[in-house]
């Protein structure tokens, strides 16, 4: 009689990555939704996002294996090859981020950084407040800076929805709950993992 193969799991997302991820969700949406409601909440949520981005950049250099950029940042060619394998059902499973997920992390970090920088520049130009007040960047027209800030914020929102779609697709394709793994940090280890 064949014995079922025992399921082995491993920690993929360390506690700091998980706290960063869910805190970023909370503070980004708080900032996004409070823009026309409360300047104070909007600004301080934005600062929180900026602090989280700074942490993630550092953790991407010195953090645990799957948190490091070297683990998931791939070349554009590798990302395209992965995306081409999806329709054929041949996209391999990765224990950490797959190449498309890694590209999404970088896109989100860049878009969020643009949102934060131009938000602080807008605050500096309009209210002469914040860390960029009196700087070269805050010397531009505050309406123009606000438009750029809103462009990056809306771009980030689009990326968030694409990220969610990718997580749902990958969860279905590989028969695993990626949202749950970002809560408890563990994933099932399989023989063909990359």
């Amino acid at each position: 009689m064949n014995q079922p193969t025992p399921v082995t799991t491993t920690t993929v997302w360390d506690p700091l990555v998980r706290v960063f991820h869910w805190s970023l969700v909370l503070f980004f949406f708080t900032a996004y939704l409070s823009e026309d409601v409360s300047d104070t909440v909007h600004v301080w949520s934005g600062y929180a996002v900026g602090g989280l981005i700074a942490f993630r950049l550092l953790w991407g250099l010195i953090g645990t294996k799957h948190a490091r950029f070297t683990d998931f940042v791939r070349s554009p060619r590798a990302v395209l090859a992965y995306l081409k394998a999806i329709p054929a059902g041949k996209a391999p499973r990765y224990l950490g981020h797959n190449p498309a997920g890694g590209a999404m992390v970088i896109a989100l970090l860049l878009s969020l950084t643009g949102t934060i920088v131009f938000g602080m520049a807008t605050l500096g130009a309009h209210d002469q407040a914040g860390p960029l007040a009196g700087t070269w960047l805050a010397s531009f027209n505050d309406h123009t800076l606000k438009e750029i800030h809103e462009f990056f914020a809306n771009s980030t929102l689009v990326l968030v929805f694409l990220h969610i779609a990718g997580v749902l697709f990958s969860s279905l394709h590989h028969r695993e709950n990626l949202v749950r793994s970002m809560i408890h940090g563990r994933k099932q280890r399989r023989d063909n993992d990359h």
Side-chain angles (χ1 to χ4, degrees):
M1 187 165 156
N2 289 339
Q3 296 272 345
T5 306
V7 174
T8 59
T9 63
T10 186
T11 299
V12 176
W13 311 121
D14 67 71
L16 292 178
V17 166
R18 297 189 325 259
V19 168
F20 158 80
H21 181 274
W22 296 114
S23 298
L24 187 60
V25 170
L26 172 70
F27 287 113
F28 172 75
F29 279 104
T30 299
Y32 192 90
L33 297 172
S34 66
E35 185 214 351
D36 293 326
V37 178
S38 169
D39 287 344
T40 301
V41 171
H42 181 73
V43 168
W44 284 103
S45 297
Y47 284 146
V49 170
L52 288 165
I53 297 303
F55 160 76
R56 188 61 183 95
L57 292 173
L58 177 64
W59 202 239
L61 299 174
I62 66 169
T64 56
K65 179 183 191 293
H66 294 293
R68 291 186 184 194
F69 297 125
T70 54
D71 184 66
F72 62 83
V73 175
R74 304 280 191 268
S75 70
R77 175 177 276 157
V79 173
L80 286 174
Y82 182 84
L83 292 172
K84 286 179 181 177
I86 291 173
K90 295 182 179 182
R93 180 180 185 263
Y94 284 74
L95 199 53
H97 286 294
N98 63 48
M104 181 56 74
V105 169
I106 299 304
L108 281 164
L109 289 174
L110 290 172
S111 189
L112 284 163
T113 298
T115 305
I116 297 304
V117 168
F118 284 98
M120 289 190 298
T122 302
L123 185 64
H126 187 266
D127 298 335
Q128 291 73 49
L132 294 182
T135 65
W136 165 82
L137 192 55
S139 68
F140 288 93
N141 177 286
D142 65 331
H143 176 74
T144 302
L145 292 170
K146 184 177 181 184
E147 290 294 318
I148 297 170
H149 170 63
E150 289 178 355
F151 166 79
F152 277 112
N154 290 326
S155 297
T156 300
L157 187 63
V158 170
L159 290 172
V160 165
F161 287 120
L162 288 172
H163 170 60
I164 291 168
V167 166
L168 293 175
F169 172 80
S170 193
S171 291
L172 292 170
H173 180 68
H174 295 295
R175 295 177 179 85
E176 63 184 334
N177 189 330
L178 293 177
V179 175
R180 191 174 343 159
S181 72
M182 188 52 78
I183 293 170
H184 57 61
R186 301 189 68 78
K187 286 179 76 174
Q188 182 181 347
R189 188 179 288 281
R190 298 178 187 170
D191 291 337
N192 59 347
D193 287 339
H194 281 72

